[in-house]
Amino acid sequence: MMKPTLADTDARQGILDRINTKHVDIPPLPDVDVDRVIQFDEPIDKFVEMLAMVGGQAHQVDSQADVRAQLEEIEVFRTATRIVSLAPESIAGTIDATQIEDPHDLSTVDWTIARGEFMVAENGSIWIDGDTLPHRVLLFIAQYLAIVVPRSQIVSNMHQAYERIENFSARFGVFVSGPSKTADIEQSLVLGAHGCRKLQVLIVGDL
Amino acid sequence: MTVALFVPCYIDQLYPDVAIATLELLERLGVDVAYPDGQTCCGQPMANTGCETDTAPVARRLVDLFADFEAVVCPSGSCVSMVRNHYAAYFDPEDAKFQHVTSKTYELCEYLHDVVGVTHLDVKFPHRVSLHQSCHGLRELRLGQSSESMTPRENKVRKLLNLVEGIEWVEPDRPDDCCGFGGTFAVNEADVSAEMGRARIADHCDKGSEVLASADMSCLMHLQGLIRREKNPIQVMHVAQILSGRPLGAA
Amino acid sequence: MLPIVQHPAAAKEFVNDPNRSRWHDQALWFVRSKRDKQAASLPEWEYLRETASGIKTHTIANLAHYLQEFERNATARGAVVHWARDADHHNEIVLRILRDHKTKRIVKSKSMLTEECGLNHYLEDNGIDVVDTDLGERIVQLRGETPSHIVLPAIHIKKEEVGDTFHKHLGTDEGASDPKYLAEAARGHLRDKFLAGEIGITGVNFAIAETGGLVVCTNEGNADLGTSLPRVHIACMGIEKLLPRQRDLGVFTRLLARSATGQPITSYTSHFNGPRDENSELHIVLVDNGRSRLRESETFRAAMHCIRCGACMNTCPVYRRSGGHSYRATVPGPIGSVLSPTRDQNSYKSLPYACSLCGSCSDVCPVKIPLHHQLLAWRGELVGKKLLPLSKRLSMRCASYLFRFPALFRLVGKVGRFALRVLPRWATHNRLNVWTIARELPEPPKESFHQWHRRHRNH
Ligand code: SF4
C-alpha cells in the first residue's frame, strides 16, 4: 500500500495571517428573495422546452410499464446489449453494476438508465444523487444515458433546487443538463464529447 | 436661470458648428445660455492616461469657471462623464463649488430630455439615419440601455431624434459596440482602434444608412477620418446638428 | 524577470489579418449574443448580479473565516487540504502527491489555476505525462500553445488547423476539418487516456465553506470521467473560489453558464463532497499566489469576485480584434488586464491601456466587477510609479499647461488649424502621425467656436 500524502500546511498560517492583518468591513451576506425570481406555471412544459434546447430529449409516459416501450423506439437502444439500469422497477438492465468492482470494467457499457431525483424547469437539468450510483462513472462512461424521473418532482429554478438538496449527504451529486457536448472547434456544437452522446429523459407519471 | 454652455476643446477648435448648433438649439427652446470665456478642456485626455497630477489643475479651473451657473450643458457625453463620475478624485468631497458643478453638468440630450422636457421640434431631416451610441453616454451617463444591461432604460437620444420629421431609422447589427476612439487609445492602439472603427462603419453602411449620428463628436471625428480615407458612402453628423435643423452634410 | 509586454505590437499581426481578426470577432460576438438572450430570459438578471456581487464581497471580506470553515468541513469528509503560498509551492505539492502514489499518467480537466501556476510544464519536466482532457485544451496542448481564452481555449484556431494537428497526432484523415469528425476522433483518443489515467486533476468552480464540498462545471463531462476512474482526485483552487453556503450556488450556477456561453447551465454541475469512497483520496490544494495581497487593495479587491466566466473577453472589442495571446498572460481580456499587473506591474504595464474604456465589460460581468474603472485606476498607479514612457507623460504635461492658459490654447489651436489648412498633405499625413496611418485628419475650420461666438454674440 502506498503511503498516504499528508496535508501540506506550512503556508497555512502565513496565508491566514496575511488575510487577518488586513481588516475589511464585512457587509451582510445577502439571501435571495424567492418572490423576485422566475417561476413557471407549467414547469413541465418549460423543462421539456429547455431540455430540447440543451440537446436532450424528453419523453412523457404515464406509467413505469411504458418506459421500455418508449426506449425501444430508439434504434441504438434496441440494438444495445450492455445496459446498466439503476431504475430496475422501471426497466431491467443486462449488467449488474453492483457486482463490478473496478469502474474501468464499465468502459464498454452501451446504456446507463439512471434515476433522477427531480427536474429543474429553467435549465432542463435533473438532479442525480450519487448514492443511487454503484459507480459514479456510469453516468459518464456509457455511450448513451437515459434518466427516469417522477413527473411530480420538479422545481422552477435553481434556488428551489438547492433548497431541496440542502441536506444531501452523498459524496457526490450532479445536475445533468443534456448530453455531453463541446463547441471547442470553431464554435460548432458537437453532442457527445466525452460522456453520453445523447440524453433521454423519461418523465414518468406513476413513479 | 442661466445655463452655461461648455464647449469641449476639440469641438471648439475642429467642429465649431456642433457648438453653434447646440447654442442655437438651446436658444430656440428658450434657454438662457451663456458661454463663459476662458474655457478649454475637462481634463479627460490626461485623466484617461492616468496623469492625475496633470488633470487636477484643469479640473479645478473648470469648476471655478462654471460654479456660478445654475447648470452646465455640454454636447459631449464623455466630457460630462468626466465631470460627473471622475472629478471626485480631484476635490474635497465637501467642496461646495465642486458639488454644484459635478451634479449640475448635463449632456445636451440629457438636458433637453430631463430638464427642458422637449416634446416638439419643428425640424425635418428626411434621411436614412443610424445611431452610433457613444460608450460613455451609454454606460457612464446611461442615456439609454446598453445591450449588456438588462435594466430597462429609455433611450434619450433616440427619443429626441424621433421628434424630427422624416428620419428613417436604420439599425446596425450591433447596437452599441465601441467605435474604437477611446481618446489616446486611438493612437496608442492605432491598429485595433482603426479595425474597430472600420467594423462599425461597415455595419452602418451595410444596412443602407446615409447618416451616422451620434451625441459624441469625438467618436465621429475618428469615424469620419476612416470614412474619408476609405471613401465610404456615409456621412457623420452630431445629434445637435440634426436637432437644430442642419441639412445633410453639415459636419 | 518577465519580458515587457507591448500589447499594440503583440496584437499587430492578428488584428491586421482580417481573416483572423474579423473571424475571431464574429465568433466571440456570436457567444455574447447567446449570453444576451439567456440573460434577457430572466427578469431577475440584474438582481442576481447584485446578489452575486454581495455574496462575493462578503466572502472575500471574511475570507480567513471561510477558509478555515471550509478546511474543517472538507477534512471531516475525508479530503486532505493543502495550502500553497505561490505557484511553485502549488506545483511541488501536486508533484509530491503524484510521487507518493508512484504515478506517471495524469488526466487533467480545465483549470485556469494550474495554467497560472505553469503546472503542466513543471510536471513534464519531472517526467510526468499530463493529458489535458478538455477538447479545446487538448488542441492547444498538442499544438504546443497555451489557451487564448479562459472558457474557449482554442477559439483562435481554425478548424482546418485543428484538422492538421489531429492528422499529425491522432492520425485523422489528411485535410479533414469537419468538427463532428474531429471531435469524434478526440473522443476516441481521450477515452484511452481516461482509462489509462492514474490520477485526475481538476480545477474548482466553487468551494462551499459550510459543507466542505466542491463544485466543478463542465460541458464535456471530462472532469467527471477523469475523477471517477482513478482512485485519486486532486482539485486545485485559488482561495477566492469560496462561497459561504451551498444555497449560494443557486445564484452562481444561474449566472455562470449563461454569462460564459449562453447556456442555461453547464451540461454537468458536479458536487464533490469528500473522496469517492473509503479507498479513494481527494486532495484539495488552496492556492494564494498573490491573492491575499490583492485583497489588501481597496481599488482592486473586487477583482477577486471573478468566477472566470469569460464574458468580459467575449464582449471586449479589443480582445475580439487582437486575440487572447496578445496579452501574453494566462488570463487575457479585461479581467486579465486588471490581474496581470498585480503580479508584475512593469511587465504588464501596457495592458491597462489596451482598452478604449467602453465599459461593456463592467456591464456584462455577472459579479459586477467595475472592470473598466479598475483599468483606469491602474493607469493612475502606473503613471504614479513612472512606468509610463516619459514621452507620453510629457505630452500630457504639455496638454495640461495648454488647458490651463486659454489664450495659449487658442493660439495653439489657431496655429494648428492654419497649419492643417496650408501644409501639403505629405507633411500632415505621414507615418510619424499615428492618427493618419488609417485615418484622415479633420478638415480644419477657419474659425473656432470661440471666434465665431465673439463675432455673433455680444461679449
Ligand atoms: S471579470 Fe467578470 S466577466 Fe470577466 S471572467 Fe471574471 S466574472 Fe466573468
Side-chain angles (χ1 to χ4, degrees), chain C residues 33-45:
Chain C
S33 308
K34 287 201 295 178
R35 171 266 174 206
D36 291 350
K37 244 175 141 171
Q38 275 303 315
S41 75
L42 297 183
E44 66 267 30
W45 184 257

Side-chain angles (χ1 to χ4, degrees), chain C residues 72-180:
Chain C
R72 211 168 40 243
N73 289 323
T75 309
R77 288 187 184 262
V80 182
V81 180
H82 307 263
W83 299 68
R85 76 182 64 84
D86 56 21
D88 290 344
H89 190 193
H90 160 265
N91 294 347
E92 285 158 22
I93 291 172
V94 174
L95 181 64
R96 193 159 57 80
I97 302 169
L98 304 185
R99 290 240 161 107
D100 284 350
H101 292 82
K102 303 195 168 43
T103 45
K104 291 226 170 307
R105 291 189 306 273
I106 310 305
V107 282
K108 185 165 144 280
S109 71
K110 192 149 68 209
S111 152
M112 290 320 295
L113 180 85
T114 60
E115 293 285 343
E116 172 187 320
C117 295
L119 179 68
N120 281 18
H121 272 298
Y122 176 83
L123 293 182
E124 280 155 17
D125 289 348
N126 282 285
I128 301 218
D129 179 29
V130 188
V131 175
D132 276 322
T133 56
D134 173 84
L135 176 57
E137 286 213 315
R138 187 64 181 152
I139 293 168
V140 297
Q141 188 182 34
L142 290 173
R143 294 170 63 86
E145 299 182 20
T146 54
S148 70
H149 186 291
I150 61 174
V151 172
L152 317 162
I155 188 75
H156 63 292
I157 301 171
K158 298 203 173 192
K159 56 178 191 258
E160 291 77 16
E161 295 167 321
V162 177
D164 290 346
T165 305
F166 280 14
H167 172 62
K168 202 161 121 207
H169 295 275
L170 312 186
T172 53
D173 296 343
E174 188 161 10
S177 65
D178 174 41
K180 231 174 146 169

Side-chain angles (χ1 to χ4, degrees), chain C residues 150 306-313 335 361 364-367 369 371:
Chain C
I150 61 174
C306 176
I307 55 172
R308 301 288 190 269
C309 75
C312 58
M313 286 150 223
I335 183 66
C361 48
V364 92
C365 175
V367 287
I369 302 172
L371 289 158

